[in-house]
Amino acid sequence: MRKGLLLYNPAAGRYPVRRYVRGIIHPLKEAGWSIEIAETLSGTHATQTAHQAATEKYDAVFAIGGDGTVGQVASGLLDSDTALAVLPAGTTNVWAIEQGQKPFSWFNWWSLRENAKLLANVDVQQVDVGMCNDHPFLLWAGVGLDAHTINKIEPRHRFFKHISVPHFFATTVWEATFWHGLDLRVWTDGQLVEGHYLVAVATNIRHYAGGMSVLSPEALLDDNEMDMWLLSGNSVADALRHFFDLVAGRHLTSDQARRLPFHTARVESDVAFSIQVDGDPALGSSHADINIKHRALKILMPKDALYLLKNPNKS
């Protein structure tokens, strides 16, 4: 019998998930899992609890929350034999949405059980994990306007999670009115690019902007490569143009958006800047060193999402 931990974030998402967590146990037990439940007290606690589960040789930690929770749990499971399984229940669930999972809500409360069934009997896969200034990330690490906004609004009261998209959009526009970008030096695999940018974001996945944009349509989770996107500009008009270009996919041909594939990267400025990892604020700095830990995280993912991997395990 496989041993799993249901680790849920009670503060995640628009709707409290606590009362629905025990409903996941039955379908997992039917699939041969022995299940325990734990509640996160903070991001650090989520990472520590996941690490303890790995030390105790759990087969998987089922992370119930949003992208921030997913990243925190992934940090605790790095380089271990314990797999991450994601049951989306957060405000944004880009990792899960990319893999075809429907997030939990009061109007879709059964999704936790359905997603648990999707993951109960799949093969373990391995994916890359990024490191930004030694801070692990699973989805993105960014500097500039998105990081600046995230540092302003997180952590959010649950009320604002009900209007998360307009709240984030309005805050971004407000910040862009007074903040005009950064002069950056960006090295990717030793090659230097310099310019004035609103955003510099490294991504390991395809989606961005709360899942509204397909930023890197050919990204793979296990190919030992990430994309650095540089968005030029210095005004709120430039920020709005980039937003609508990203949603429409026009950034792929825009001369104001540049994609740099990389294995290692460094973003540097003469002034300190905000940093976000997986949509959560991180400690700011005047540099961001980014590298890839190749296939360093084991995960459970739906069978229909294996196209996101270069070398899926189909045994």
Side-chain angles (χ1 to χ4, degrees), residues 66-67 70-71 84-88 92-101 127-128 138-140 204-205 207 211 221 278 297 299-302 305 308-309:
D67 290 322
V70 169
L84 167 69
V86 176
L87 302 178
T92 55
N93 304 274
V94 179
W95 172 264
I97 289 171
E98 182 151 312
Q99 297 181 28
Q101 294 173 275
V127 299
D128 299 337
L138 195 54
L139 297 86
W140 328 275
N204 190 38
I205 66 170
H207 285 78
L221 298 174
D278 291 342
L297 178 69
I299 67 167
L300 303 180
M301 62 190 300
L308 297 170
L309 300 173

Side-chain angles (χ1 to χ4, degrees), residues 11-116:
R14 300 173 178 87
Y15 311 98
V17 73
R18 179 184 285 112
R19 62 179 293 187
Y20 298 95
V21 171
R22 289 194 173 276
I24 309 170
I25 295 176
H26 183 66
L28 290 175
K29 281 190 173 181
E30 282 189 329
W33 288 87
S34 169
I35 295 296
E36 296 180 21
I37 299 176
E39 178 180 300
T40 68
L41 303 177
S42 65
T44 300
H45 180 252
T47 300
Q48 292 173 341
T49 304
H51 180 71
Q52 185 62 33
T55 301
E56 296 178 10
K57 306 299 182 184
Y58 278 73
D59 293 285
V61 174
F62 293 81
I64 305 173
D67 290 322
T69 302
V70 169
Q72 293 152 7
V73 173
S75 296
L77 300 179
L78 199 62
D79 293 320
S80 78
D81 290 325
T82 302
L84 167 69
V86 176
L87 302 178
T91 309
T92 55
N93 304 274
V94 179
W95 172 264
I97 289 171
E98 182 151 312
Q99 297 181 28
Q101 294 173 275
K102 294 181 179 179
F104 162 85
S105 74
W106 279 349
F107 309 104
N108 193 29
W109 57 266
W110 58 88
S111 65
L112 285 176
R113 290 172 61 94
E114 295 304 312
N115 287 323

